[in-house]
Amino acid sequence: NVSDSSCFCVVKGTVYNDVNHNCTQDPGEAGIDHIQMHCSGLGYTYTDTGGNYYFLVPSGTYTVSQTILGMYPLSPCQPNHIPVTSVAATGCHTTINFADTVDPIHDMHISTWDYTGPRPGFPYQHITIVTNDGTSTETNILAGYKPDGQIFGPTFVPSGIFTGAPYYYNTASASFSLAPGSGQEFLVNYNVPADVPLGTSVVFTDTVAYASPVTNWLSDYSPWNNVNYFTTTTVGSYDPNFKEVSPKGWGPAGVITTDDSILEYMVHFQNTGSYLAENVMVKDTLDPSLDWTTLRPVYASNKCVVDIDEHGVATFTFPHINLPPSSSERVASNAVFTYTVKQRPALPMGTHILNSASIYFDFNAPIKTKSTYNTIAWGAGVQNTVAAATGNNAFTVYPNPANNTFNAIINSNESGNYTLHVSDVTGKTEISKNLHLIKGTQTITVDVNYLTSGIYFVALVGTSGKVETQKLVIIK
């Protein structure tokens, strides 16, 4: 019985920046948030904004450790994997602090998601989130934004939970500041023309850099999440409780490669009841193809506590959220959170990654979201090794990233007619070349001068219909 404190002992502590490397938290040595902590046999949790964590454990012997991040290595005097023995009793607690050092890095992160569904003839909202995942306070962040013009707008909403946002407009940019671990939401309003057909893809381009000029994103610690191509599709109706994944992948199967090793998820929930929801809990059973020990919270619109059990069930708890009903406060009745997680290594081609979440409003029955869906294709290097070993066709693309042209080096197992497709992340074919290949190795040069910066898929389709795919990054 969790309510009986005599049945448990609290194991708690702080992860902090040990500036003088003495493994003692001295005045001015700040806590570090979003560090994943593990208690053997119990599961995982994350430090809060003060660097604090805790586990509630029954009597027994455990090992407490942290997942070491590259930018937060342990202080030289700090061991990891610390054993602790608890004897449950009222008021029992054990304190285990962890001293880390901080490597100064710039690591900005931008992502855009649906906030409502884009329905023809109705207003549409989406949310863009910029976070500082690095270790330095950034005082001159430059964010750029560009919609494709198929829907009207944008206008920016600073009301409800979205306050203090610096606004930036079509193809323009603005500067703002963020401390390490903090983020900024932008809620954007559009009007969808009534004559836009259902199923129309609408593309938005977002870019963030830690300082001007915007090309500084290339020197970011993880530059792949500094440029975001968000694609949404016009729909007839939508459920306000839903889950999204980025990258969505190519086509209906959400084809991605093993090179897309980090997936980012957003969960949306809205109180559509008749009274405020005091507490909300979201249970997210992670797909077995995901390594839940790599899960890292990115952003939450409200205070959130994250825990993961030893079986990969992640729980996101929003205590005392007091989420108002949509009938009285349409904007504030919504909440969101995002996290990243890595694929497990060496996933075979055709692996499906499905994820859904169950949302609990107080003591009501859970609302289950529809599943996100990705399918693994070969990544660069892996694909070619397997293809060569099995006698199938293989090809590579270079340079990657490319600018105005790229080369496809194709090792054909047999002569014949082939097609080379270049598609964007929505599955839209941008380039299609018919090729007659002879057995052996040949190089094909492809002009991509008119394509914008972004992520593309290069597919080689043979007469048998077999597809080999490579991911191509284009940077202008």
Side-chain angles (χ1 to χ4, degrees), residues 385-406:
T385 300
V386 175
T390 58
N392 294 323
N393 300 308
F395 79 104
T396 59
V397 295
Y398 84 94
N400 195 0
N403 182 251
N404 295 321
T405 62
F406 74 88

Side-chain angles (χ1 to χ4, degrees), residues 206-378:
D206 307 309
T207 309
V208 67
Y210 60 84
S212 180
V214 74
T215 51
N216 272 330
W217 73 269
L218 292 169
S219 59
D220 195 270
Y221 184 75
S222 53
W224 53 84
N225 58 28
N226 288 60
V227 178
N228 180 62
Y229 292 84
F230 170 67
T231 301
T232 190
T233 305
T234 53
V235 294
S237 62
Y238 78 99
D239 185 341
N241 300 288
F242 60 103
K243 185 173 184 178
E244 299 179 89
V245 62
S246 178
K248 291 182 178 179
W250 180 38
V255 174
I256 59 176
T257 75
T258 51
D259 294 338
D260 298 309
S261 59
I262 299 177
L263 298 178
E264 183 169 5
Y265 291 93
M266 173 176 271
V267 176
H268 306 248
F269 55 91
Q270 182 180 29
N271 179 8
T272 57
S274 57
Y275 193 70
L276 63 81
E278 182 175 347
N279 301 291
V280 175
M281 180 177 68
V282 181
K283 283 194 172 292
D284 191 338
T285 302
L286 300 173
D287 190 282
S289 296
L290 299 174
D291 179 1
W292 59 78
T293 66
T294 67
L295 187 149
R296 188 177 185 191
V298 174
Y299 187 82
S301 58
N302 303 75
K303 183 179 179 180
C304 178
V305 178
V306 184
D307 300 288
I308 310 174
D309 69 14
E310 297 282 45
H311 305 288
V313 179
T315 302
F316 300 81
T317 305
F318 295 81
H320 308 297
I321 188 173
N322 294 325
L323 201 65
S326 58
S327 57
S328 62
E329 298 185 51
R330 185 178 63 84
V331 173
S333 64
N334 291 272
V336 297
F337 65 88
T338 67
Y339 65 89
T340 59
V341 63
K342 292 183 179 181
Q343 299 177 21
R344 292 192 181 277
L347 293 176
M349 185 177 73
T351 297
H352 301 304
I353 301 176
L354 285 82
N355 249 30
S356 63
S358 296
I359 305 165
Y360 297 77
F361 293 90
D362 291 325
F363 299 102
N364 295 305
I367 298 171
K368 187 173 183 179
T369 69
K370 291 183 178 179
S371 295
T372 61
Y373 185 35
N374 287 119
T375 304
I376 299 296
W378 297 124

